[in-house]
Amino acid sequence: FRLAWLFIAITAVAVLLAIKFHREPIRRENLERLQRLDEFDRDVYRLVWSHDRSRMAFVGWEMPVGVCETITLWPVRTHGEGRKLIEFAFSPDENVVGWVENGQPVEIHNLKTGRFFTLDTGDDQCSLDISTDGRLLAVGGYDLGAMIVSAIDGRLVHKLDTGNGQHGGMTMCF
């Protein structure tokens, strides 16, 4: 009986919140109502969202990555101070992140323990993504093909070879 009342109360709150915070889809008719929320004084070429969409990373070229809360855009932390980061990936575990510094191996960091491991792919500019369960890391790049490795220890799980003489970049995504 209590569970039914709890369900009704939660449903009522959800309906009220949906009514109060209703957002129309962006269309030509309401395009002029869009407002700029904030402006960043840095170059950003990629936005990377956390798996739960609560945080987003602003990835520039050869600069530290700034992570902000999604709704408020309040800064959460900066990764790679003093380093030339070009790629970044969130894990479902908010204490684990991955990044690539230009010309350097892929790095997976556990922020809670302070430990990390590197994955030397032989490629100067890799793209990477961490799976939704946090167990796998996909890495791709110019002339590299694709690799799936363990996000825990860097052990190779699978490699896709694009063949000799095949050139071009591969962007990885789970």
Side-chain angles (χ1 to χ4, degrees):
F1 183 72
R2 290 181 189 165
L3 190 58
W5 279 109
L6 180 62
F7 174 76
I8 291 170
I10 290 173
T11 303
V13 169
V15 168
L16 290 174
L17 289 173
I19 291 169
K20 183 175 181 179
F21 296 106
H22 176 72
R23 294 184 181 161
E24 291 290 326
I26 298 172
R27 297 190 182 111
R28 283 191 188 147
E29 305 86 52
N30 62 5
L31 195 57
E32 71 281 348
R33 292 187 358 215
L34 289 180
Q35 297 175 354
R36 180 175 25 181
L37 297 176
D38 205 346
E39 196 168 308
F40 294 94
D41 60 349
R42 60 185 281 176
D43 292 329
V44 174
Y45 85 97
R46 179 170 294 161
L47 293 175
V48 178
W49 301 90
S50 63
H51 290 270
D52 65 0
R53 302 294 195 245
S54 65
R55 296 165 291 145
M56 60 188 203
F58 295 90
V59 182
W61 188 256
E62 293 191 337
M63 61 180 53
V65 171
V67 176
C68 296
E69 289 183 356
T70 302
I71 305 271
T72 62
L73 297 180
W74 288 338
V76 175
R77 68 172 9 128
T78 300
H79 295 286
E81 281 292 340
R83 303 190 58 192
K84 297 180 175 183
L85 304 187
I86 60 172
E87 285 290 341
F88 183 82
F90 285 107
S91 170
D93 177 349
E94 67 181 34
N95 293 309
V96 178
V97 294
W99 66 61
V100 178
E101 186 174 6
N102 201 5
Q104 300 296 321
V106 173
E107 296 181 19
I108 303 298
H109 290 258
N110 185 317
L111 305 172
K112 189 175 186 178
T113 66
R115 299 180 68 181
F116 72 97
F117 71 87
T118 60
L119 177 66
D120 191 359
T121 64
D123 194 80
D124 288 340
Q125 299 174 350
C126 292
S127 70
L128 70 149
D129 196 16
I130 299 174
S131 65
T132 56
D133 63 4
R135 296 184 332 185
L136 298 175
L137 170 70
V139 181
Y142 296 100
D143 304 330
L144 170 66
M147 294 171 34
I148 305 292
V149 300
S150 166
I152 312 295
D153 58 13
R155 178 183 44 80
L156 181 66
V157 175
H158 187 73
K159 182 171 173 98
L160 171 66
D161 187 358
T162 55
N164 291 336
Q166 301 296 318
H167 301 288
M170 184 175 287
T171 300
M172 302 309 297
C173 173
F174 276 102

PDB file of all heavy atoms in Angstrom, residues 51 89-93 129-138 148-149 151 173-174:
ATOM      1  N   HIS A  51      29.269   9.744 -19.398  1.00  0.00           N
ATOM      2  CA  HIS A  51      28.275   8.731 -19.712  1.00  0.00           C
ATOM      3  C   HIS A  51      26.906   9.052 -19.121  1.00  0.00           C
ATOM      4  O   HIS A  51      25.882   8.721 -19.715  1.00  0.00           O
ATOM      5  CB  HIS A  51      28.754   7.348 -19.259  1.00  0.00           C
ATOM      6  CG  HIS A  51      29.891   6.846 -20.101  1.00  0.00           C
ATOM      7  ND1 HIS A  51      29.691   6.105 -21.235  1.00  0.00           N
ATOM      8  CD2 HIS A  51      31.234   7.005 -19.986  1.00  0.00           C
ATOM      9  CE1 HIS A  51      30.851   5.815 -21.790  1.00  0.00           C
ATOM     10  NE2 HIS A  51      31.816   6.350 -21.043  1.00  0.00           N
ATOM     11  N   ALA A  89      38.511  11.204 -22.748  1.00  0.00           N
ATOM     12  CA  ALA A  89      37.367  10.293 -22.617  1.00  0.00           C
ATOM     13  C   ALA A  89      37.005  10.124 -21.151  1.00  0.00           C
ATOM     14  O   ALA A  89      37.890  10.036 -20.287  1.00  0.00           O
ATOM     15  CB  ALA A  89      37.691   8.923 -23.221  1.00  0.00           C
ATOM     16  N   PHE A  90      35.698  10.106 -20.895  1.00  0.00           N
ATOM     17  CA  PHE A  90      35.173   9.812 -19.564  1.00  0.00           C
ATOM     18  C   PHE A  90      34.893   8.324 -19.452  1.00  0.00           C
ATOM     19  O   PHE A  90      34.529   7.674 -20.428  1.00  0.00           O
ATOM     20  CB  PHE A  90      33.827  10.515 -19.342  1.00  0.00           C
ATOM     21  CG  PHE A  90      33.900  11.983 -19.103  1.00  0.00           C
ATOM     22  CD1 PHE A  90      33.490  12.867 -20.091  1.00  0.00           C
ATOM     23  CD2 PHE A  90      34.335  12.496 -17.895  1.00  0.00           C
ATOM     24  CE1 PHE A  90      33.513  14.232 -19.876  1.00  0.00           C
ATOM     25  CE2 PHE A  90      34.365  13.859 -17.668  1.00  0.00           C
ATOM     26  CZ  PHE A  90      33.955  14.733 -18.666  1.00  0.00           C
ATOM     27  N   SER A  91      35.003   7.811 -18.248  1.00  0.00           N
ATOM     28  CA  SER A  91      34.544   6.466 -17.916  1.00  0.00           C
ATOM     29  C   SER A  91      33.242   6.617 -17.136  1.00  0.00           C
ATOM     30  O   SER A  91      32.987   7.679 -16.572  1.00  0.00           O
ATOM     31  CB  SER A  91      35.591   5.775 -17.045  1.00  0.00           C
ATOM     32  OG  SER A  91      35.086   4.568 -16.520  1.00  0.00           O
ATOM     33  N   PRO A  92      32.402   5.582 -17.081  1.00  0.00           N
ATOM     34  CA  PRO A  92      31.226   5.656 -16.209  1.00  0.00           C
ATOM     35  C   PRO A  92      31.620   5.888 -14.745  1.00  0.00           C
ATOM     36  O   PRO A  92      30.869   6.491 -13.996  1.00  0.00           O
ATOM     37  CB  PRO A  92      30.551   4.301 -16.377  1.00  0.00           C
ATOM     38  CG  PRO A  92      31.091   3.725 -17.616  1.00  0.00           C
ATOM     39  CD  PRO A  92      32.439   4.332 -17.829  1.00  0.00           C
ATOM     40  N   ASP A  93      32.795   5.433 -14.360  1.00  0.00           N
ATOM     41  CA  ASP A  93      33.328   5.711 -13.028  1.00  0.00           C
ATOM     42  C   ASP A  93      33.935   7.109 -13.078  1.00  0.00           C
ATOM     43  O   ASP A  93      34.919   7.341 -13.787  1.00  0.00           O
ATOM     44  CB  ASP A  93      34.393   4.677 -12.670  1.00  0.00           C
ATOM     45  CG  ASP A  93      35.054   4.923 -11.322  1.00  0.00           C
ATOM     46  OD1 ASP A  93      34.861   6.014 -10.733  1.00  0.00           O
ATOM     47  OD2 ASP A  93      35.782   4.025 -10.863  1.00  0.00           O
ATOM     48  N   ASP A 129      37.848   6.198 -26.684  1.00  0.00           N
ATOM     49  CA  ASP A 129      36.566   6.221 -25.987  1.00  0.00           C
ATOM     50  C   ASP A 129      36.548   5.041 -25.026  1.00  0.00           C
ATOM     51  O   ASP A 129      37.101   3.981 -25.319  1.00  0.00           O
ATOM     52  CB  ASP A 129      35.403   6.123 -26.977  1.00  0.00           C
ATOM     53  CG  ASP A 129      34.075   6.521 -26.363  1.00  0.00           C
ATOM     54  OD1 ASP A 129      34.077   7.157 -25.279  1.00  0.00           O
ATOM     55  OD2 ASP A 129      33.027   6.200 -26.933  1.00  0.00           O
ATOM     56  N   ILE A 130      35.907   5.245 -23.883  1.00  0.00           N
ATOM     57  CA  ILE A 130      35.777   4.194 -22.871  1.00  0.00           C
ATOM     58  C   ILE A 130      34.352   3.674 -22.938  1.00  0.00           C
ATOM     59  O   ILE A 130      33.402   4.450 -23.028  1.00  0.00           O
ATOM     60  CB  ILE A 130      36.118   4.734 -21.468  1.00  0.00           C
ATOM     61  CG1 ILE A 130      37.577   5.228 -21.445  1.00  0.00           C
ATOM     62  CG2 ILE A 130      35.901   3.661 -20.407  1.00  0.00           C
ATOM     63  CD1 ILE A 130      37.994   5.904 -20.163  1.00  0.00           C
ATOM     64  N   SER A 131      34.190   2.363 -22.893  1.00  0.00           N
ATOM     65  CA  SER A 131      32.873   1.738 -23.033  1.00  0.00           C
ATOM     66  C   SER A 131      31.928   2.146 -21.915  1.00  0.00           C
ATOM     67  O   SER A 131      32.350   2.616 -20.860  1.00  0.00           O
ATOM     68  CB  SER A 131      33.006   0.211 -23.075  1.00  0.00           C
ATOM     69  OG  SER A 131      33.486  -0.270 -21.842  1.00  0.00           O
ATOM     70  N   THR A 132      30.643   1.928 -22.146  1.00  0.00           N
ATOM     71  CA  THR A 132      29.620   2.333 -21.184  1.00  0.00           C
ATOM     72  C   THR A 132      29.703   1.558 -19.879  1.00  0.00           C
ATOM     73  O   THR A 132      29.201   2.023 -18.861  1.00  0.00           O
ATOM     74  CB  THR A 132      28.214   2.175 -21.782  1.00  0.00           C
ATOM     75  OG1 THR A 132      28.058   0.818 -22.223  1.00  0.00           O
ATOM     76  CG2 THR A 132      28.026   3.110 -22.953  1.00  0.00           C
ATOM     77  N   ASP A 133      30.332   0.386 -19.883  1.00  0.00           N
ATOM     78  CA  ASP A 133      30.512  -0.348 -18.626  1.00  0.00           C
ATOM     79  C   ASP A 133      31.886  -0.081 -18.000  1.00  0.00           C
ATOM     80  O   ASP A 133      32.186  -0.579 -16.925  1.00  0.00           O
ATOM     81  CB  ASP A 133      30.286  -1.844 -18.810  1.00  0.00           C
ATOM     82  CG  ASP A 133      31.288  -2.490 -19.753  1.00  0.00           C
ATOM     83  OD1 ASP A 133      32.221  -1.799 -20.218  1.00  0.00           O
ATOM     84  OD2 ASP A 133      31.127  -3.688 -20.035  1.00  0.00           O
ATOM     85  N   GLY A 134      32.727   0.700 -18.681  1.00  0.00           N
ATOM     86  CA  GLY A 134      34.024   1.078 -18.150  1.00  0.00           C
ATOM     87  C   GLY A 134      35.103   0.026 -18.256  1.00  0.00           C
ATOM     88  O   GLY A 134      36.219   0.233 -17.797  1.00  0.00           O
ATOM     89  N   ARG A 135      34.812  -1.093 -18.901  1.00  0.00           N
ATOM     90  CA  ARG A 135      35.797  -2.187 -18.952  1.00  0.00           C
ATOM     91  C   ARG A 135      36.701  -2.138 -20.168  1.00  0.00           C
ATOM     92  O   ARG A 135      37.792  -2.678 -20.140  1.00  0.00           O
ATOM     93  CB  ARG A 135      35.085  -3.531 -18.903  1.00  0.00           C
ATOM     94  CG  ARG A 135      34.344  -3.746 -17.607  1.00  0.00           C
ATOM     95  CD  ARG A 135      33.717  -5.092 -17.484  1.00  0.00           C
ATOM     96  NE  ARG A 135      33.370  -5.658 -18.772  1.00  0.00           N
ATOM     97  CZ  ARG A 135      32.718  -6.781 -18.941  1.00  0.00           C
ATOM     98  NH1 ARG A 135      32.336  -7.458 -17.907  1.00  0.00           N
ATOM     99  NH2 ARG A 135      32.425  -7.224 -20.141  1.00  0.00           N
ATOM    100  N   LEU A 136      36.239  -1.504 -21.258  1.00  0.00           N
ATOM    101  CA  LEU A 136      37.008  -1.509 -22.497  1.00  0.00           C
ATOM    102  C   LEU A 136      37.355  -0.101 -22.947  1.00  0.00           C
ATOM    103  O   LEU A 136      36.630   0.856 -22.677  1.00  0.00           O
ATOM    104  CB  LEU A 136      36.212  -2.206 -23.611  1.00  0.00           C
ATOM    105  CG  LEU A 136      35.864  -3.672 -23.378  1.00  0.00           C
ATOM    106  CD1 LEU A 136      34.969  -4.192 -24.491  1.00  0.00           C
ATOM    107  CD2 LEU A 136      37.138  -4.506 -23.285  1.00  0.00           C
ATOM    108  N   LEU A 137      38.452  -0.004 -23.665  1.00  0.00           N
ATOM    109  CA  LEU A 137      38.918   1.240 -24.240  1.00  0.00           C
ATOM    110  C   LEU A 137      39.104   1.015 -25.731  1.00  0.00           C
ATOM    111  O   LEU A 137      39.781   0.061 -26.131  1.00  0.00           O
ATOM    112  CB  LEU A 137      40.249   1.640 -23.590  1.00  0.00           C
ATOM    113  CG  LEU A 137      41.020   2.789 -24.207  1.00  0.00           C
ATOM    114  CD1 LEU A 137      40.290   4.101 -23.950  1.00  0.00           C
ATOM    115  CD2 LEU A 137      42.424   2.843 -23.641  1.00  0.00           C
ATOM    116  N   ALA A 138      38.484   1.860 -26.538  1.00  0.00           N
ATOM    117  CA  ALA A 138      38.665   1.793 -27.994  1.00  0.00           C
ATOM    118  C   ALA A 138      39.644   2.887 -28.386  1.00  0.00           C
ATOM    119  O   ALA A 138      39.513   4.035 -27.965  1.00  0.00           O
ATOM    120  CB  ALA A 138      37.332   1.982 -28.700  1.00  0.00           C
ATOM    121  N   ILE A 148      40.864  -2.530 -29.417  1.00  0.00           N
ATOM    122  CA  ILE A 148      40.033  -2.597 -28.218  1.00  0.00           C
ATOM    123  C   ILE A 148      40.916  -3.214 -27.146  1.00  0.00           C
ATOM    124  O   ILE A 148      41.452  -4.316 -27.328  1.00  0.00           O
ATOM    125  CB  ILE A 148      38.775  -3.479 -28.425  1.00  0.00           C
ATOM    126  CG1 ILE A 148      37.968  -3.015 -29.634  1.00  0.00           C
ATOM    127  CG2 ILE A 148      37.933  -3.497 -27.157  1.00  0.00           C
ATOM    128  CD1 ILE A 148      37.313  -1.673 -29.485  1.00  0.00           C
ATOM    129  N   VAL A 149      41.091  -2.486 -26.050  1.00  0.00           N
ATOM    130  CA  VAL A 149      41.945  -2.967 -24.965  1.00  0.00           C
ATOM    131  C   VAL A 149      41.179  -2.897 -23.657  1.00  0.00           C
ATOM    132  O   VAL A 149      40.160  -2.214 -23.554  1.00  0.00           O
ATOM    133  CB  VAL A 149      43.260  -2.149 -24.858  1.00  0.00           C
ATOM    134  CG1 VAL A 149      44.069  -2.244 -26.135  1.00  0.00           C
ATOM    135  CG2 VAL A 149      42.973  -0.708 -24.504  1.00  0.00           C
ATOM    136  N   ALA A 151      40.351  -1.463 -20.236  1.00  0.00           N
ATOM    137  CA  ALA A 151      40.531  -0.153 -19.603  1.00  0.00           C
ATOM    138  C   ALA A 151      41.097  -0.307 -18.194  1.00  0.00           C
ATOM    139  O   ALA A 151      41.453   0.691 -17.569  1.00  0.00           O
ATOM    140  CB  ALA A 151      39.203   0.607 -19.565  1.00  0.00           C
ATOM    141  N   CYS A 173      34.295   5.248 -31.061  1.00  0.00           N
ATOM    142  CA  CYS A 173      33.119   5.610 -30.294  1.00  0.00           C
ATOM    143  C   CYS A 173      32.378   4.340 -29.891  1.00  0.00           C
ATOM    144  O   CYS A 173      32.215   3.441 -30.691  1.00  0.00           O
ATOM    145  CB  CYS A 173      32.239   6.497 -31.156  1.00  0.00           C
ATOM    146  SG  CYS A 173      30.664   6.876 -30.442  1.00  0.00           S
ATOM    147  N   PHE A 174      31.983   4.265 -28.620  1.00  0.00           N
ATOM    148  CA  PHE A 174      31.147   3.149 -28.163  1.00  0.00           C
ATOM    149  C   PHE A 174      29.705   3.554 -28.249  1.00  0.00           C
ATOM    150  O   PHE A 174      29.320   4.662 -28.040  1.00  0.00           O
ATOM    151  CB  PHE A 174      31.486   2.750 -26.725  1.00  0.00           C
ATOM    152  CG  PHE A 174      32.645   1.809 -26.620  1.00  0.00           C
ATOM    153  CD1 PHE A 174      33.890   2.274 -26.246  1.00  0.00           C
ATOM    154  CD2 PHE A 174      32.499   0.469 -26.900  1.00  0.00           C
ATOM    155  CE1 PHE A 174      34.967   1.420 -26.143  1.00  0.00           C
ATOM    156  CE2 PHE A 174      33.566  -0.402 -26.799  1.00  0.00           C
ATOM    157  CZ  PHE A 174      34.809   0.078 -26.426  1.00  0.00           C
TER     158      PHE A 174
END
